[in-house]
Amino acid sequence: MRPEHTSLRPLSDLVTTLGSDATLLRPDTDPERPADMPPREVHVRGITHDSRRVRQGDLYAALPGTRVHGAEFSRQAADAEASAILTDAEGAESAAATGLPVIVVPDVRAVLGPVASWVYGDPARDLLLVGTTGTSGKTTISYLIESGLRKAGMSTGLVGTVEMRVGDERVASSLTTPEATDLHGLFAVMAERGITAAAMEVSSHALALGRVGGARYDVAIFTNLSQDHLDFHSDLRDYFDTKARLFTPEYCDIAVVNTDDRFGRALVDMVAGRGDIPVTTFAVEGGSDAGPENGMEADWNAVDVRLGDTGSSFRVVGPGGMEAEASVALPGPFNVSNAMAAIVGLVEAGLPMETAIAGVAAAPGVPGRMEPVAARSAASEQDFTALVDYSHKPGAIEAVLDSLRATTKGRITMVVGCGGDRDRAKRPLMGEAAARLADQVIITNDNPRSEDPVSIAAAMLEGVAKVPENHRAHVTVELDRAEAIGLGVARTGPGDVIVVAGKGHETGQYVKGEVLPFDDREVLLNAIEDALRSRASERLGSALQNVHRAPDPG
């Protein structure tokens, strides 16, 4: 998204802003221009890193790629009437060959966020901005925070995995956190439309690749950290250190941290040791993964937690004797933690506690996060619970199954796979968690991408084998995801729960370079309705067999 109205910004001002690290290559393309006349001023009105999306007057950011340098597409950008090009030394020659002014910097990604912010006039400056990072919970917390901001009467925006939202306009997301050029363009749209506050997810990729450069958060929230993305990060420590960048004066004013998580406690120690930003902590009664003797006393606590099938209620106890009843319309203890993150984050952002609690309570379900799926007919006899969840990492699988076990009397069936071309080390861990905590597990395809689905399933089975047989779920492998979901429904009886994990809100399946239409919610719904029709047909057939014709009076 881009703003409809933008101001022309002089390129010379950008060069001055970038300082001594920036070099301006400015070929004189006008042979009639007197030699003693200073070059004409060039202005930019937008910015993009994608040569296919260049508009007249744009600054084209030519980034180095894994296969091709973006400067190779400089001619395409020039033909689309870009005003200038931003690149590095490697791309300078190709960019300069277009005849456009070229700004050369050592690392384009390192400056891309601040440059994009400059192009659009620092559009995030007047937004109340709340960012959330962590392995799990980012999406849910962002939705809860956005609901709280609305409750406070603000006009709101949302940036995350499921969608981007400006007021009531929704746009599908392709990345958890957009590239810097797109992010600041989105902020500019928000500013143009009178948005006053926004909630957004901040991924570790975004922090590592500079996507959130130039953005500053009034409040930054840390949820938790468990194994994920080790195809991108060298190890868990690197993953944590990257997340921790958000909690520095460069990016945020106030840190809100979950101290039930051991990495959260490490983050508190790190930030408090520096003393450069204030830290507020929260915890859920009984939630510490270190036990009370090794935990950290939190500023805010959720106590008297009452879990339910469709949500939970609890009491919030804050500093200075503040106390109030709260609730969240999402099941599971991990959603109590998510609700606490949102409530504390909203209070730190300046909302009254009562407004924050009411806003979180009013939030509806989050797409693909413990999302219930039920037959469309009000008269259906669906006597089991069916859920779709985005859980695609070991910690999330554990959290989902633990929460379901706490509220389910029947059996739990999980349909789950692992994505291809991603962190391979988590596959056995996910298989082990599912087999240990569910009653039935159906291992299937997720997004195999370029990999062989059989090898992915085999890696998951390595983890399954580590669970003692007498404590292990009944495990089946069915690589056709639709068939696996149908099989799971067929095995689900009265009072049972089936959860289809991994893809959540996604509506496509990535296979060998293609995106095939696939929505877990739609497939699960069809499987439920087919099963209910089949059961109704069986009952009718049984009833007909029991009908006896009256004796013939003759």
Side-chain angles (χ1 to χ4, degrees):
M1 302 180 73
R2 292 222 211 170
E4 293 182 13
H5 307 288
T6 55
S7 300
L8 291 171
R9 308 296 307 277
L11 193 68
S12 58
D13 284 2
L14 175 58
V15 177
T16 302
T17 299
L18 289 172
S20 59
D21 283 343
T23 301
L24 177 61
L25 307 180
R26 197 167 193 171
D28 189 351
T29 57
D30 184 359
E32 303 297 323
R33 192 177 197 85
D36 60 348
M37 182 179 291
R40 64 183 177 83
E41 180 64 84
V42 174
H43 293 82
V44 296
R45 65 169 73 247
I47 182 171
T48 182
H49 63 283
D50 187 338
S51 61
R52 297 164 297 183
R53 294 164 54 194
V54 170
R55 299 181 185 178
Q56 183 183 39
D58 273 356
L59 174 64
Y60 170 54
L63 300 166
T66 54
R67 297 177 183 173
V68 180
H69 198 291
E72 297 299 314
F73 304 101
S74 295
R75 173 49 58 190
Q76 185 177 347
D79 290 344
E81 300 185 73
S83 289
I85 298 172
L86 174 70
T87 192
D88 55 17
E90 184 183 351
E93 184 177 350
S94 297
T98 64
L100 293 176
V102 179
I103 299 176
V104 182
V105 294
D107 183 350
V108 183
R109 279 206 172 275
V111 301
L112 191 56
V115 168
S117 177
W118 175 88
V119 167
Y120 291 115
D122 193 8
R125 176 184 55 227
D126 297 325
L127 284 173
L128 173 59
L129 196 56
V130 182
T132 302
T133 197
T135 303
S136 300
K138 296 186 297 295
T139 301
T140 298
I141 292 168
S142 295
Y143 272 82
L144 296 176
I145 286 171
E146 196 261 354
S147 179
L149 295 172
R150 284 196 178 210
K151 194 72 173 178
M154 300 180 188
S155 180
T156 61
L158 180 72
V159 185
T161 305
V162 177
E163 62 185 352
M164 296 184 293
R165 199 158 67 210
V166 180
D168 292 325
E169 182 180 353
R170 289 174 160 84
V171 179
S173 295
S174 58
L175 296 170
T176 296
T177 310
E179 288 286 359
T181 55
D182 296 328
L183 180 63
H184 289 281
L186 178 62
F187 287 154
V189 172
M190 291 182 184
E192 187 175 68
R193 297 186 188 178
I195 300 300
T196 56
M200 69 174 285
E201 301 178 48
V202 183
S203 68
S204 61
H205 288 68
L207 289 160
L209 298 174
R211 292 179 192 163
V212 291
R216 186 174 176 82
Y217 300 88
D218 295 271
V219 178
I221 299 171
F222 179 86
T223 64
N224 51 64
L225 192 130
S226 61
Q227 182 163 333
D228 199 17
H229 303 306
L230 295 193
D231 55 318
F232 181 79
H233 299 285
S234 58
D235 53 31
L236 207 57
R237 180 69 203 193
D238 176 55
Y239 183 29
F240 170 74
D241 287 343
T242 304
K243 293 281 191 187
R245 292 183 198 175
L246 183 62
F247 304 91
T248 60
E250 178 185 357
Y251 286 113
C252 82
D253 292 333
I254 300 170
V256 171
V257 181
N258 173 20
T259 56
D260 283 332
D261 182 81
R262 66 186 178 96
F263 288 100
R265 295 190 293 276
L267 180 63
V268 171
D269 289 339
M270 178 188 295
V271 177
R274 294 197 316 259
D276 48 12
I277 58 172
V279 183
T280 299
T281 59
F282 69 92
V284 177
E285 186 177 50
S288 175
D289 60 13
E293 69 281 1
N294 297 317
M296 179 180 287
E297 187 174 346
D299 301 311
W300 292 79
N301 291 274
V303 301
D304 190 21
V305 177
R306 289 140 278 161
L307 302 175
D309 294 339
T310 58
S312 302
S313 58
F314 52 96
R315 195 165 77 256
V316 176
V317 179
M322 296 199 311
E323 192 169 329
E325 286 294 317
S327 65
V328 59
L330 299 166
F334 58 92
N335 277 318
V336 175
S337 182
N338 290 337
M340 281 295 293
I343 291 168
V344 177
L346 288 164
V347 171
E348 291 296 340
L351 273 65
M353 182 175 70
E354 296 76 11
T355 304
I357 288 173
V360 167
V366 180
R369 272 63 177 176
M370 294 292 274
E371 183 176 351
V373 176
R376 284 169 281 220
S377 170
S380 75
E381 297 184 10
Q382 183 174 336
D383 52 9
F384 56 89
T385 300
L387 301 165
V388 167
D389 192 72
Y390 192 53
S391 45
H392 59 281
K393 58 209 81 170
I397 294 291
E398 290 189 2
V400 165
L401 291 173
D402 279 340
S403 70
L404 291 175
R405 185 65 68 196
T407 58
T408 302
K409 294 180 180 179
R411 296 177 304 165
I412 299 172
T413 296
M414 173 169 273
V415 180
V416 64
C418 288
D421 301 334
R422 296 294 185 268
D423 183 358
R424 297 179 181 224
K426 72 180 182 181
R427 296 171 186 174
L429 301 178
M430 287 176 63
E432 184 274 334
R436 175 168 47 85
L437 297 171
D439 298 297
Q440 300 184 94
V441 176
I442 302 173
I443 292 176
T444 190
N445 235 338
D446 189 281
N447 292 315
R449 298 182 176 87
S450 70
E451 285 196 66
D452 178 8
V454 174
S455 66
I456 297 175
M460 295 184 72
L461 288 172
E462 290 175 11
V464 170
K466 294 180 180 178
V467 182
E469 192 169 353
N470 59 331
H471 294 292
R472 186 190 306 162
H474 180 270
V475 179
T476 304
V477 176
E478 172 52 73
L479 295 180
D480 184 302
R481 192 170 180 90
E483 290 292 330
I485 292 171
L487 179 60
V489 170
R491 292 180 176 178
T492 303
D496 291 350
V497 174
I498 175 173
V499 56
V500 180
K503 290 171 57 59
H505 64 282
E506 294 177 0
T507 56
Q509 189 173 34
Y510 295 78
V511 183
K512 301 292 184 185
E514 292 185 84
V515 183
L516 307 177
F518 200 100
D519 187 328
D520 279 353
R521 296 163 294 189
E522 181 182 312
V523 174
L524 179 57
L525 175 60
N526 290 336
I528 290 169
E529 295 190 332
D530 286 346
L532 294 178
R533 280 193 292 270
S534 177
R535 292 175 191 179
S537 178
E538 289 175 5
R539 287 195 299 272
L540 178 60
S542 177
L544 288 173
Q545 288 179 4
N546 292 329
V547 173
H548 298 285
R549 187 171 300 170
D552 187 342

